[in-house]
Amino acid sequence: MELSLAGKVALVTGSSRGIGRAIAELLAAEGCAIFLTGRDEAALAATEKAIAARGVRVTSSIAELREPTAPAALIDAAQRAFGRLDILVNNAGATKRGDFLKLSDEDWADGFALKFFAHTRLARAAWPLLKETAGSILAIGGNGAARPTADFTIGSSVNAAVAAFHKALSDIGKRDGIQVNTIHPGHVDTDRMRRQMQVRIEKSGRDMAAEIEAYRRELNVPRIGLPDDVASLAAFILSPRGRWLHGATIILDGGEIDML
């Protein structure tokens, strides 16, 4: 399917690995110029090299998006690099799991700083550029927003806030011609998930493949998701073919959760 994304400029946060990298690589394959950002310099460089090999324009910047001034500086850098911005993918952010009674105020503040406040600041800074191009914002949250659990109080709360913010923002987008949506991925086979599996492996004695299969059965899904699953949906939403989708929160988790 031709997605008609060639020539557009996309900024993807958290794009050095996992879902963010998959989205950046697929948008590049569709002809987008890509601005990458993350905190791991080596991983970011590897992603930039892989995308450059596709023959599209790409640049990257190390950014600590918890810092209040970093999002605006990042948007400014993207404008200087490419002269425009068509797509903002708010993907960066991870939150700490654990016993609610042992999680500190600092843990909560850290979770919201990266995966909520960074998103709001990026959207505010990018809005004038996206208004000029009738662009799009896509947030990557997590299905913990729809199924809060005791060991994921921070993440469930942050992801719910991410979806609520972007839903509210979509009303302003109607006025200004900017598309805004959210994807809540379920369990996706990333480095982060495999680190979580390692804790289980230490208890079960199974190897990684067997542990992932056991987890799949627990979740009652046909398979664990892949970063490319999220990237494929993201690329469609961000393309002209997906433009009528607006103000939506889509759960992409293989049927793990029935509804939001």
Side-chain angles (χ1 to χ4, degrees):
M1 181 185 293
E2 169 56 49
L3 294 181
S4 301
L5 285 166
K8 294 187 180 296
V9 174
L11 167 59
V12 184
T13 69
S15 45
S16 61
R17 55 169 57 88
I19 290 171
R21 175 169 177 165
I23 292 172
E25 289 191 335
L26 185 51
L27 292 178
E30 292 294 328
C32 290
I34 305 293
F35 196 104
L36 304 164
T37 187
R39 290 177 291 168
D40 185 328
E41 186 173 0
L44 202 59
T47 303
E48 184 173 359
K49 183 178 179 181
I51 289 176
R54 297 180 180 274
V56 299
R57 294 181 297 160
V58 59
T59 191
S60 65
S61 177
I62 300 292
E64 176 47 83
L65 292 174
R66 292 180 178 88
E67 297 296 329
T69 60
L74 192 63
I75 298 299
D76 185 57
Q79 183 181 25
R80 291 197 310 272
F82 297 117
R84 61 182 288 154
L85 185 65
D86 300 273
I87 293 167
L88 169 63
V89 180
N90 278 328
N91 169 71
T95 55
K96 188 174 181 178
R97 291 178 177 269
D99 182 342
F100 167 69
L101 297 176
K102 295 179 180 178
L103 293 168
S104 67
D105 285 353
E106 289 73 20
D107 293 328
W108 280 84
D110 183 72
F112 273 90
L114 182 56
K115 200 165 186 181
F116 180 76
F117 286 114
H119 290 196
T120 64
R121 291 167 181 144
L122 282 162
R124 185 168 56 229
W127 201 261
L129 295 178
L130 295 172
K131 187 175 179 179
E132 288 179 5
T133 60
S136 299
I137 296 176
L138 179 63
I140 307 301
N143 72 352
R147 183 181 285 175
T149 57
D151 71 336
F152 201 46
T153 51
I154 298 176
S156 297
S157 301
V158 170
N159 285 323
V162 164
F165 166 69
H166 286 87
K167 176 62 175 176
L169 196 63
S170 71
D171 276 349
I172 308 173
K174 292 177 190 177
R175 181 195 72 196
D176 290 346
I178 301 173
Q179 179 197 35
V180 185
N181 292 290
T182 299
I183 297 174
H184 281 330
H187 292 83
V188 177
D189 191 351
T190 61
D191 291 345
R192 184 183 177 202
M193 193 197 84
R194 287 182 174 245
R195 287 194 298 271
Q196 295 169 0
M197 290 298 98
Q198 197 61 48
V199 175
R200 293 169 54 109
I201 285 169
E202 291 172 4
K203 296 178 180 179
S204 70
R206 291 186 283 253
D207 63 21
M208 182 62 74
E211 196 61 55
I212 289 175
E213 172 57 19
Y215 196 43
R216 181 200 68 76
R217 290 195 300 268
E218 290 173 23
L219 297 172
N220 190 27
V221 292
R223 62 175 173 83
I224 297 296
L226 300 173
D228 284 347
D229 293 321
V230 185
S232 295
L233 177 58
F236 172 77
I237 291 171
L238 294 166
S239 77
R241 290 181 178 271
R243 187 70 187 197
W244 201 41
L245 196 66
H246 185 84
T249 299
I250 300 173
I251 297 177
L252 181 67
D253 66 359
E256 180 186 345
I257 296 175
D258 294 331
M259 63 181 292
L260 184 63

